[in-house]
Amino acid sequence: MKISKEDYLEFKNWCKKFFRENREGSTKQLVEELINVNPKLIKRMEKAVGKGNVKAYLGRSLMTSLRKEGWLWYEKNTWVTKPNWGLCTHCFCEIDDIYLIDIDGNQYCNDDCFEEHGATEYYDSYNDDYFYLFSEFKQLKEKYTIFLEKKVQPNYMNHLELKQVLAEILEVLNDDIYSTVWLNGGDDGPVSYEIARMLQILQRDYEDLNKEDTMIKAKRQSVNQLYSITINRTLLKKRRKPEILKQFIQKHRKYRSKTDTNRWTTKDLNMRNNWYEKLNNELSDGISYCNEIFCPACQEVTDRKWARMLADGYYYCHECADEWKKS
């Protein structure tokens, strides 16, 4: 009989903690330590495999299973931690693009594991730039991965966040401190190589994020600017309206406001300008125009002179624009 899945996971987590702190140990040491720190788990193991069989079960089954994960080896009757490439040397977790290396070529999933393990940095002129870039690289990846996974809605807030991330990536890519690495392609030692690796990933992801930006913009409202003309109510109330005004009212009925009936509004600037030019030339008085925006954030219409365009190319009312800048 085997232990339950829950007990196995409990043992696995404890085992990783043990090897983070001790780095090696025999099967006998593991059993003795487990008896001290988690006697209940030992009792459940004894119940499952027999009281005298725990050591053998732990060594031949449980530890062999952990060995397959690639961070544990059995040498001279001792379990030793030697994580494969792609696993954190300290905590043994899987590593993707975000990792640090030490002078021995070991990988660490973050700077905490690097420090806790007592890792030694390379004696390299690139070292300061390397750790600085790693910090920026990690923060940026955490911000934009959700966009690459296409898990965001195409709304104004996500679009603005994406635009901000794109600007931050571009700032890193254009930073002069990495100009030498761009020139040598990272072919100047391990640290230089790692700097180049992170920059190339940022460049690749920047291109993919730009494609995502295009897709989000295509799904959003094409424009949020409103162009209107207002016709004096006196002209509209005349029983005998000028012919050009009668034709305009009939032809452009769908653009007439239902709440402000002397106003016609369109999203097409050229159309509005044509309206104004034709009517103003004939009527000369009583025609005015205004430019407004429909704020994507508060959903209110406001005069464009009080609005501000943000990074996504849309106008926002002054209050919402200020609120976004503060966030």
Side-chain angles (χ1 to χ4, degrees):
M1 179 180 177
K2 296 180 180 180
I3 62 174
S4 67
K5 182 179 180 181
E6 291 75 15
D7 283 344
Y8 173 72
L9 291 175
E10 186 176 346
F11 170 77
K12 177 180 174 179
N13 291 333
W14 170 82
C15 204
K16 283 189 172 183
K17 182 176 182 295
F18 174 87
F19 281 104
R20 279 200 302 271
E21 296 171 355
N22 299 282
R23 310 311 296 178
E24 63 177 45
S26 66
T27 303
K28 181 181 178 182
Q29 287 176 309
L30 290 171
V31 173
E32 291 173 350
E33 182 67 16
L34 193 55
I35 290 172
N36 291 329
V37 299
N38 198 339
K40 291 183 179 179
L41 179 57
I42 284 289
K43 287 182 179 180
R44 291 198 295 273
M45 286 185 180
E46 289 175 344
K47 185 176 180 180
V49 301
K51 191 170 184 179
N53 299 323
V54 170
K55 180 182 175 183
Y57 176 68
L58 190 147
R60 295 172 186 171
S61 180
L62 299 185
M63 297 303 291
T64 301
S65 178
L66 290 180
R67 183 179 179 180
K68 294 177 182 178
E69 294 186 359
W71 57 272
L72 194 63
W73 297 81
Y74 193 62
E75 298 176 352
K76 298 178 180 179
N77 299 320
T78 302
W79 295 101
V80 182
T81 56
K82 289 184 179 180
N84 293 335
W85 185 260
L87 297 175
C88 177
T89 296
H90 183 67
C91 72
F92 320 122
C93 73
E94 291 187 6
I95 289 175
D96 48 23
D97 290 334
I98 304 172
Y99 64 84
L100 285 166
I101 61 168
D102 65 9
I103 196 168
D104 297 314
N106 298 316
Q107 288 177 296
Y108 301 87
C109 61
N110 56 47
D111 41 11
D112 288 336
C113 280
F114 190 94
E115 292 175 8
E116 288 176 18
H117 194 74
T120 303
E121 303 173 8
Y122 273 92
Y123 305 110
D124 195 298
S125 60
Y126 292 103
N127 214 41
D128 289 343
D129 295 343
Y130 172 55
F131 280 92
Y132 178 73
L133 176 59
F134 174 78
S135 178
E136 291 192 311
F137 178 71
K138 182 174 181 291
Q139 290 176 20
L140 285 169
K141 287 284 284 184
E142 289 171 352
K143 282 183 181 179
Y144 69 64
T145 297
I146 190 172
F147 290 99
L148 294 178
E149 293 174 347
K150 303 184 186 301
K151 293 181 179 179
V152 298
Q153 294 297 316
N155 56 42
Y156 81 92
M157 187 172 292
N158 289 330
H159 199 188
L160 284 172
E161 287 179 1
L162 176 56
K163 283 292 190 181
Q164 184 172 326
V165 168
L166 283 167
E168 291 174 6
I169 295 174
L170 196 59
E171 186 177 354
V172 173
L173 294 175
N174 291 334
D175 196 322
D176 289 341
I177 66 173
Y178 307 121
S179 58
T180 302
V181 175
W182 280 117
L183 286 172
N184 62 39
D187 191 21
D188 192 18
V191 178
S192 170
Y193 175 85
E194 285 298 316
I195 291 175
R197 179 188 68 84
M198 288 187 280
L199 290 174
Q200 288 162 7
I201 290 172
L202 287 176
Q203 187 174 48
R204 178 200 68 199
D205 290 347
Y206 179 79
E207 294 170 0
D208 290 340
L209 288 168
N210 265 310
K211 294 176 184 177
E212 189 65 18
D213 171 44
T214 301
M215 291 177 62
I216 290 177
K217 189 159 188 176
K219 292 178 181 179
R220 289 184 67 188
Q221 183 179 335
S222 59
V223 65
N224 71 326
Q225 298 185 65
L226 306 173
Y227 307 101
S228 303
I229 64 165
T230 301
I231 302 175
N232 190 292
R233 292 188 185 278
T234 303
L235 283 173
L236 292 174
K237 288 180 179 180
K238 282 185 177 181
R239 295 183 65 184
R240 292 188 175 183
K241 297 179 179 65
E243 187 62 27
I244 190 171
L245 182 56
K246 288 169 61 177
Q247 291 177 4
F248 176 81
I249 293 171
Q250 292 173 359
K251 185 177 180 181
H252 301 292
R253 189 179 293 111
K254 69 177 182 178
Y255 298 100
R256 191 173 189 176
S257 171
K258 294 180 180 180
T259 56
D260 189 2
T261 55
N262 65 327
R263 173 177 289 206
W264 279 256
T265 301
T266 177
K267 294 179 181 178
D268 188 330
L269 177 60
N270 290 329
M271 178 182 285
R272 194 283 308 277
N273 288 344
N274 287 334
W275 292 349
Y276 180 78
E277 185 178 345
K278 289 179 181 179
L279 291 174
N280 195 52
N281 286 342
E282 292 290 331
L283 304 176
S284 71
D285 194 20
I287 310 296
S288 62
Y289 68 86
C290 67
N291 300 329
E292 297 172 311
I293 63 100
F294 179 76
C295 179
C298 67
Q299 307 285 295
E300 296 290 336
V301 174
T302 188
D303 195 307
R304 201 178 78 178
K305 65 184 178 182
W306 306 118
R308 290 164 58 188
M309 181 181 284
L310 295 183
D312 60 349
Y314 290 79
Y315 280 96
Y316 291 76
C317 70
H318 189 73
E319 291 79 6
C320 290
D322 283 346
E323 190 67 28
W324 171 256
K325 292 289 185 181
K326 292 176 185 176
S327 64

